[in-house]
Amino acid sequence: MTWHQARSAAAERTQGGPLCAGHLATITTADEQAFLFSTFGEGLHTTWLGGYQTDGATEPAGGWTWITGETWGYTNWLLGEPNNSGGEDALAFLGTNGKWNDAPELYNYGASGGYVVEYEGRQVAMTSSPEATTTASTTTATVSSRWPSSPRPRSTRPRSTPPRSLSMAPASE
């Protein structure tokens, strides 16, 4: 599965109905990174994320952005990354330690790969704290509790942002 295929597949997913649409996950803080790694652990190896490098950006580290338009500030690059080896301009987890890699957007991670989906929007069923559940081959982790004005435990989103949750999907979906 390439980054573009993962992006399309994530955008087709919903949780709790059409008001909670999916997209490739964005990681804007160390807390979000820690939550993902503690929830999915080594399963994150070779999974696509919602970061990409804009056309014409200064290589190797310039012009990185999130598909949601969120501010690119926090990073968790693997040692020596990003390195633009072979025209790498899409973001993925690599290795078993939750570190990031710049990878060619057309690289096919195949059966070992997948993608992390983030759901944003109004959800009907909520939990008061993050928890993970597994059904079939998709693991879902709810990140925040209520919408729109309640406190959001462990969430770093502004209060005006709807709750979000994350799931990891294998490339075969």
Side-chain angles (χ1 to χ4, degrees):
M1 169 170 282
T2 68
W3 185 83
H4 291 287
Q5 290 168 329
R7 182 178 184 172
S8 293
E12 291 174 7
R13 297 177 78 103
T14 63
Q15 185 180 59
L19 295 178
C20 194
H23 58 78
L24 288 176
T26 61
I27 304 172
T28 58
T29 67
D31 287 343
E32 289 177 335
Q33 172 73 33
F35 174 75
L36 266 174
F37 191 69
S38 69
T39 302
F40 300 115
E42 293 181 10
L44 293 172
H45 177 66
T46 64
T47 54
W48 293 112
L49 293 167
Y52 67 96
Q53 195 172 30
T54 56
D55 290 338
T58 304
E59 295 293 354
W64 285 91
T65 190
W66 295 112
I67 61 172
T68 57
E70 293 169 273
T71 301
W72 182 275
Y74 170 78
T75 62
N76 193 38
W77 295 110
L78 186 65
L79 185 63
E81 301 294 344
N83 61 14
N84 195 40
S85 176
E88 299 175 319
D89 51 10
L91 185 65
F93 281 115
L94 183 65
T96 57
N97 59 1
K99 296 292 186 177
W100 303 357
N101 178 47
D102 60 331
E105 63 188 55
L106 297 178
Y107 181 77
N108 188 341
Y109 275 124
S112 67
Y115 54 100
V116 182
V117 181
E118 181 176 336
Y119 298 94
E120 297 197 52
R122 186 176 190 135
Q123 296 178 0
V124 177
M126 305 287 168
T127 59
S128 60
S129 63
E131 62 184 49
T133 57
T134 302
T135 57
S137 61
T138 301
T139 302
T140 301
T142 302
V143 174
S144 58
S145 63
R146 295 177 206 99
W147 185 45
S149 59
S150 304
R152 288 176 175 69
R154 296 180 69 176
S155 176
T156 58
R157 301 290 175 161
R159 292 190 127 200
S160 62
T161 303
R164 64 189 204 158
S165 64
L166 303 160
S167 69
M168 187 174 67
S172 60
E173 287 194 339

